[in-house]
Amino acid sequence: MAATLSDVAAIAGVSIKTVSNVIHDYPHIRPATKQRVLDAIEATGYRPNLTARNLRTGRTGVISLVVPTLRNPYFAELAEAVMDAADREGLSVLIEQSRGSDAGAARASKAQLVDGMLFSTLGPEQEDTGLYAQLAPTLDGGTSEPLVDHVTMRNTEAIRAATEHLIGLGRTRIAAIGARPGDVSGAASLRLLGYRQALEAAGTAERAELVRPVATWTRFDGAAETERLLAEGVEVDGIVAFNDALALGALRALGQRGIRVPEQVSVIGFDDLDESRYSLPALSTISPGREQIAALAVQMLAERIAARDEPLPARNITVPFTLVERESTARA
Amino acid sequence: MAATLSDVAAIAGVSIKTVSNVIHDYPHIRPATKQRVLDAIEATGYRPNLTARNLRTGRTGVISLVVPTLRNPYFAELAEAVMDAADREGLSVLIEQSRGSDAGAARASKAQLVDGMLFSTLGPEQEDTGLYAQLAPTLDGGTSEPLVDHVTMRNTEAIRAATEHLIGLGRTRIAAIGARPGDVSGAASLRLLGYRQALEAAGTAERAELVRPVATWTRFDGAAETERLLAEGVEVDGIVAFNDALALGALRALGQRGIRVPEQVSVIGFDDLDESRYSLPALSTISPGREQIAALAVQMLAERIAARDEPLPARNITVPFTLVERESTARA
DNA sequence: TTGTAAGCGTTATCAT
DNA sequence: ATGATAACGCTTACAA
């Protein structure tokens, strides 16, 4: 059996309070006493029982991250960034997938094990961006709507920069792949706006046949929609895909038709997945500041957990992006 | 505040033991009493406090999965499979990355929060296969070495089948990419053995220049080593890569040289990553039975947790593989 | 500077 | 069939 506080106390010949004080670096302990306790801890190999501590303090040191699926590299890389950030805050991460059998029910039961949660999207069908952070219902005051922080990226500005990058290359017939015609909010509409702003600033009229809607932001739909675009005989010399998966799909469709990238068509994506570095050709993309988003979201959540009595106001933060130039938009 | 057992007891006019009995479906409760308790639970919105339960039972319902990094799609997909399996066993998964700052120390402190752990590799530099399962030190008897179960895949047989698949296509100069010359155990040596068995069975002599060593099983090294192979002017008409990342890298190197796959060179990988379906051309590969490995490992761990008093003997299980034919080995 | 003791919310042993 | 009550191992008033 693992040693307990009282085992250590017995050996050191002190009370458990003193041992506890030593563990918590309580200032006023006589050096000799402290040493005796330290020796006893050493001798017994004592490790505080976290479960007991949790019961007492009401905190677990665990946060959950809810993502649709880890199979999608975007979420896998986000998860990695969150775990790194959590490590720095001394928190552990319980990952949950929201796409899946009993999503809601399972999450509710696990909500008790965590101090707070991070969501990568709000709804099931929404591919929103960034991270939402809120206290676990257990810690939350519980009254009314929970306070949620949001850390996000510059969707519009980044796609605008991507589009202007192609325009700067002399491209004039630039397709936007990934539009969601119905959407009035969310990543798709923000990114479409950026595309439009770039065209407008360049004095180019938007052509309906170049704005390509897709059902999902996957490689599959990226390839299918690009194929359709080409099959329709639409003239294209540039493609701004609303994420890397779509761009990778586009690359595949272009390759299959024997269309050379970047000689005939320039392609740029959004996300800066590891994969994009290794595609053929390597994909130019927007690096949306994933590490920073993860770090800030975890930090804000940690603050919220620390200040659980005095609820913090909800905050919204937006982080800067960078444009990464690779082969797919090299100068012809 | 959340309702507790005694809140419910007070409202139902019974003792907390009775409420506890109702919650645990204890057989002998008078229907009327049971109903009163159920109503009180309903009225208060009572949910058992998991932390308190954990303290009492000594189990947390959480297991950890240790992977080098989630950025590697192989581990991301493995993690997904583990989480799905854990869901079915009513367990939550705490993911930890072993590559990283304070790997060991961090893990030790978290070991207390979990009932058991799953490792995807034993050492830092080893890319072993399958999953190892063992009880958390806290639950473990603690005496001597911990008992660990191992669920793995048919490394040798699968690569042999992959190689024979290429031989069946009429390929005679088949390169093996991913060898680890020094290794006498681990995935690399098992897979190399399969390659050799296939050549031998076909009566083909092994050519040293076709067995290509790499430092890491990444797309990067796959591309680099293939490039080197081609630069040396070695004749090749088939490539068996020891994992999909290497194969994807090989595809890139071949593409860059203008060598057509599968017309001039057939390529097959190992892992069946989602990505392989979308490469250009789509990659033939070995599906190693990841879902089954995850399911079995989680199941065995769950059994071990359930039987914590009577330690179960260590078990070794190997699951079957399947060969997935795609474009990269289509008949010319 | 250190000790005593209450309590976190369960589960489970004993009575009754 | 149900109720008191003692743990589980910790944190923390409050006392000494």
Side-chain angles (χ1 to χ4, degrees):
Chain A
M1 285 317 298
T4 75
L5 219 41
S6 42
D7 292 337
V8 175
I11 292 187
V14 298
S15 81
I16 62 172
K17 177 69 208 300
T18 302
V19 180
S20 180
N21 281 342
V22 171
I23 290 167
H24 292 96
D25 282 323
Y26 187 76
H28 311 294
I29 313 169
R30 209 179 319 147
T33 313
K34 180 164 183 170
Q35 194 51 54
R36 271 214 319 287
V37 172
L38 254 19
D39 290 346
I41 287 177
E42 174 83 286
T44 53
Y46 169 79
R47 314 250 59 208
N49 177 318
L50 296 187
T51 308
R53 181 176 288 177
N54 295 344
L55 175 57
R56 192 51 237 235
T57 61
R59 291 207 248 74
T60 65
V62 180
I63 61 176
S64 65
L65 169 67
V66 183
V67 292
T69 166
L70 282 183
R71 291 193 104 93
N72 182 328
Y74 174 78
F75 293 113
E77 294 186 23
L78 180 67
E80 160 124 354
V82 166
M83 291 169 57
D84 286 346
D87 253 16
R88 289 196 294 275
E89 300 282 339
L91 295 167
S92 301
V93 181
L94 200 63
I95 297 184
E96 299 180 54
Q97 304 191 108
S98 52
R99 80 102 191 78
S101 39
D102 43 359
R107 185 145 66 258
S109 79
K110 287 170 192 174
Q112 298 219 33
L113 293 170
V114 304
D115 295 338
M117 9 214 213
L118 256 25
F119 297 88
S120 55
T121 69
L122 282 183
E125 275 315 305
Q126 259 179 302
E127 73 267 291
D128 219 310
T129 62
L131 239 20
Y132 296 86
Q134 68 177 59
L135 278 184
T138 337
L139 286 192
D140 197 358
T143 56
S144 71
E145 277 302 281
L147 289 160
V148 18
D149 298 311
H150 188 195
V151 187
T152 189
M153 54 187 74
R154 299 219 165 277
N155 287 292
T156 304
E157 294 83 346
I159 282 291
R160 173 170 179 171
T163 310
E164 286 174 342
H165 175 53
L166 297 200
I167 293 173
L169 256 23
R171 300 315 193 174
T172 56
R173 311 204 42 121
I174 301 172
I177 298 193
R180 302 280 220 112
D183 292 17
V184 296
S185 71
S189 67
L190 291 172
R191 294 185 192 178
L192 181 55
L193 180 60
Y195 167 77
R196 289 183 164 148
Q197 287 178 353
L199 291 190
E200 186 164 49
T204 313
E206 176 183 332
R207 293 168 184 270
E209 72 272 23
L210 288 176
V211 177
R212 313 298 302 201
V214 297
T216 63
W217 281 7
T218 60
R219 201 178 319 216
F220 186 85
D221 278 356
E225 193 55 33
T226 302
E227 176 52 38
R228 210 168 294 131
L229 174 75
L230 299 172
E232 286 174 14
V234 178
E235 258 185 81
V236 201
D237 59 10
I239 292 182
V240 173
F242 286 3
N243 81 353
D244 279 0
L246 289 168
L248 261 5
L251 245 31
R252 187 194 209 281
L254 291 166
Q256 221 152 16
R257 284 237 171 195
I259 296 173
R260 280 166 295 116
V261 177
E263 293 82 354
Q264 296 171 267
V265 177
S266 306
V267 179
I268 188 164
F270 190 118
D271 276 348
D272 194 19
L273 300 183
D274 280 350
E275 257 180 277
S276 317
R277 233 191 308 265
Y278 299 108
S279 61
L280 186 59
L283 183 68
S284 291
T285 188
I286 295 293
S287 177
R290 192 169 24 252
E291 274 67 29
Q292 209 185 336
I293 288 174
L296 286 171
V298 169
Q299 232 170 273
M300 286 163 70
L301 187 51
E303 287 171 21
R304 217 169 253 293
I305 292 169
R308 61 162 154 165
D309 315 309
E310 207 58 47
L312 273 39
R315 286 174 290 178
N316 278 287
I317 300 186
T318 309
V319 308
F321 68 93
T322 56
L323 194 152
V324 183
E325 293 188 45
R326 298 209 185 94
E327 297 165 7
S328 70
T329 60
R331 222 162 259 283
Chain B
M1 286 314 299
T4 76
L5 221 38
S6 42
D7 293 336
V8 175
I11 292 188
V14 298
S15 81
I16 62 171
K17 179 67 208 305
T18 301
V19 179
S20 180
N21 282 343
V22 170
I23 289 167
H24 292 94
D25 282 322
Y26 188 75
H28 310 294
I29 313 168
R30 209 178 321 146
T33 314
K34 181 165 182 172
Q35 194 50 56
R36 270 214 321 285
V37 172
L38 255 20
D39 289 346
I41 288 176
E42 173 82 283
T44 53
Y46 168 79
R47 313 252 60 206
N49 178 317
L50 295 186
T51 308
R53 180 175 288 176
N54 295 344
L55 174 57
R56 192 51 237 230
T57 61
R59 291 205 249 76
T60 65
V62 180
I63 61 176
S64 65
L65 170 67
V66 184
V67 293
T69 166
L70 283 183
R71 292 193 102 94
N72 183 326
Y74 173 78
F75 294 113
E77 295 186 23
L78 181 66
E80 160 123 353
V82 166
M83 291 169 57
D84 286 346
D87 253 15
R88 288 195 295 275
E89 300 281 338
L91 294 167
S92 301
V93 181
L94 201 63
I95 296 184
E96 299 179 53
Q97 304 191 111
S98 52
R99 79 104 191 78
S101 39
D102 44 359
R107 185 146 67 259
S109 78
K110 286 170 193 174
Q112 298 223 29
L113 293 171
V114 304
D115 296 335
M117 10 212 212
L118 257 24
F119 296 88
S120 55
T121 69
L122 281 183
E125 275 313 307
Q126 259 178 303
E127 72 268 292
D128 219 310
T129 62
L131 239 20
Y132 296 86
Q134 68 177 60
L135 277 184
T138 336
L139 286 192
D140 199 357
T143 57
S144 71
E145 277 302 280
L147 289 160
V148 18
D149 299 310
H150 188 197
V151 187
T152 189
M153 55 188 73
R154 299 219 165 276
N155 286 292
T156 304
E157 295 83 346
I159 282 290
R160 174 171 178 171
T163 310
E164 287 175 340
H165 174 54
L166 296 199
I167 293 173
L169 255 25
R171 301 314 193 174
T172 57
R173 310 203 43 121
I174 302 171
I177 297 192
R180 301 279 221 112
D183 293 16
V184 295
S185 72
S189 66
L190 291 172
R191 294 185 191 179
L192 181 55
L193 180 60
Y195 168 77
R196 288 183 165 147
Q197 286 179 353
L199 291 189
E200 187 164 50
T204 312
E206 176 182 331
R207 293 168 183 272
E209 73 271 24
L210 287 176
V211 177
R212 313 298 300 202
V214 296
T216 63
W217 281 7
T218 59
R219 203 180 316 219
F220 187 85
D221 277 357
E225 193 55 32
T226 302
E227 177 51 38
R228 209 167 297 130
L229 174 76
L230 299 172
E232 286 174 13
V234 177
E235 257 185 80
V236 202
D237 60 9
I239 291 181
V240 172
F242 286 3
N243 80 354
D244 279 0
L246 290 167
L248 261 5
L251 245 31
R252 187 193 210 281
L254 290 166
Q256 220 151 16
R257 286 234 169 196
I259 297 173
R260 279 166 296 118
V261 177
E263 292 82 355
Q264 296 170 268
V265 177
S266 306
V267 179
I268 188 166
F270 190 118
D271 276 347
D272 193 19
L273 300 183
D274 280 350
E275 256 180 276
S276 316
R277 233 192 306 267
Y278 300 107
S279 61
L280 186 61
L283 183 67
S284 292
T285 188
I286 295 293
S287 177
R290 193 170 21 252
E291 274 67 29
Q292 209 184 337
I293 289 174
L296 285 170
V298 169
Q299 232 170 274
M300 286 163 70
L301 187 51
E303 286 171 20
R304 217 170 251 295
I305 293 168
R308 60 161 155 164
D309 315 308
E310 207 59 45
L312 272 38
R315 286 174 290 179
N316 279 287
I317 299 186
T318 309
V319 308
F321 69 92
T322 56
L323 194 153
V324 183
E325 293 188 44
R326 297 208 185 96
E327 296 165 9
S328 70
T329 62
R331 221 163 259 282

